[in-house]
């Protein structure tokens, strides 16, 4: 594909911009990610999502994946939240099994800041739990818990339990987001929007 500043080419051969391409991709991505969310701890990669939306839309993209996937995940996240859905972009990982820096702008659009890569991955894991619950994924034995994708469906690993004399029960997770509108809850635990 040629042309300075051309972002993509539509099925009919016309050159289109990022907004036009994303308006085609977002519904396709939401449908695909809703299917991913219906399986406990399932995730997909940026590459898999890109291949799916490109093949279904018939749009050819000029820039490489790493140039457009971050902004697309942000716009996808915003579209999901606007439709009353959880941020399905949290189900999309880089090839190394983490959401990675491409998800930073999406978190910022949710008014969530991640100061470290570990914070980013923890927030993404919390958002993924919202996605699984929203999609009515079957609850795993032992209930839902924060889990990195590396230990989830894409890369199952059995770990031997650590030998301990006594293991205290894990504390109940604290609600961080409103289950209705997915806005971060204040310290009171009561949503300012829904109360």
């Amino acid at each position: 594909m040629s042309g300075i500043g051309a972002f993509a080419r539509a099925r009919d051969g016309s050159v289109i911009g990022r907004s036009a391409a994303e308006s085609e991709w977002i519904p396709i991505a939401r449908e695909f990610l809703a299917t991913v969310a219906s399986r406990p701890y399932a995730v997909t990669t940026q590459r898999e999502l890109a291949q799916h939306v490109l093949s279904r839309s018939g749009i050819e993209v000029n820039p490489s994946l790493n140039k457009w996937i971050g902004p697309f995940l942000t716009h996808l996240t915003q579209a999901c939240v606007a439709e009353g859905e959880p941020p399905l972009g949290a189900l999309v990982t880089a090839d190394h099994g983490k959401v990675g820096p491409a998800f930073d702008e999406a978190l910022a659009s949710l008014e969530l800041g991640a100061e470290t890569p570990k914070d980013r991955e923890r927030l993404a894991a919390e958002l993924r739990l919202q996605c699984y619950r929203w999609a009515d994924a079957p609850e795993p034995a032992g209930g839902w818990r924060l889990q990195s994708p590396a230990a989830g469906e894409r890369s199952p690993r059995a770990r031997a339990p650590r030998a301990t004399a006594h293991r205290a029960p894990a504390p109940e997770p604290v609600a961080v987001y409103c289950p209705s509108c997915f806005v971060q809850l204040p310290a009171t635990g009561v949503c300012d929007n829904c109360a």
Side-chain angles (χ1 to χ4, degrees):
M1 189 171 127
S2 64
I4 296 174
F7 179 75
R9 189 171 303 278
R11 205 175 288 231
D12 66 3
S14 62
V15 174
I16 60 174
R18 180 186 299 271
S19 295
E22 287 183 351
S23 69
E24 295 284 328
W25 295 339
I26 286 174
I28 295 168
R30 285 174 47 212
E31 180 182 349
F32 176 71
L33 293 172
T35 302
V36 171
S38 69
R39 298 184 320 266
Y41 299 121
V43 295
T44 190
T45 66
Q46 295 169 1
R47 191 169 317 283
E48 290 166 342
L49 176 65
Q51 288 171 344
H52 183 79
V53 298
L54 294 175
S55 69
R56 289 280 312 276
S57 67
I59 295 174
E60 297 176 28
V61 180
N62 193 24
S64 65
L65 176 66
N66 64 351
K67 300 269 188 207
W68 63 268
I69 195 68
F72 176 64
L73 289 173
T74 299
H75 298 141
L76 171 64
T77 297
Q78 292 167 338
C80 289
V81 172
E83 292 295 321
E85 300 167 350
L88 296 170
L91 299 167
V92 183
T93 66
D95 289 335
H96 54 70
K98 298 180 182 209
V99 290
F103 200 62
D104 284 343
E105 192 176 321
L107 286 173
S109 77
L110 296 171
E111 298 181 3
L112 299 172
E115 294 184 18
T116 66
K118 190 174 183 176
D119 290 340
R120 176 196 315 125
E121 300 306 323
R122 180 188 49 78
L123 287 169
E126 291 172 1
L127 296 173
R128 280 192 292 274
L129 285 182
Q130 290 179 19
C131 295
Y132 303 134
R133 289 178 175 135
W134 167 82
D136 291 325
E139 187 170 331
W144 292 106
R145 63 180 189 276
L146 292 182
Q147 187 169 336
S148 71
E153 184 175 297
R154 288 193 58 76
S155 305
R157 282 188 234 173
R159 293 186 182 181
R162 293 181 184 163
T164 58
H166 175 71
R167 188 176 277 190
E172 286 293 317
V174 176
V176 178
Y177 305 99
C178 175
S180 298
C181 67
F182 307 106
V183 172
Q184 187 172 9
L185 292 174
T188 62
V190 178
C191 180
D192 294 333
N193 293 337
C194 298

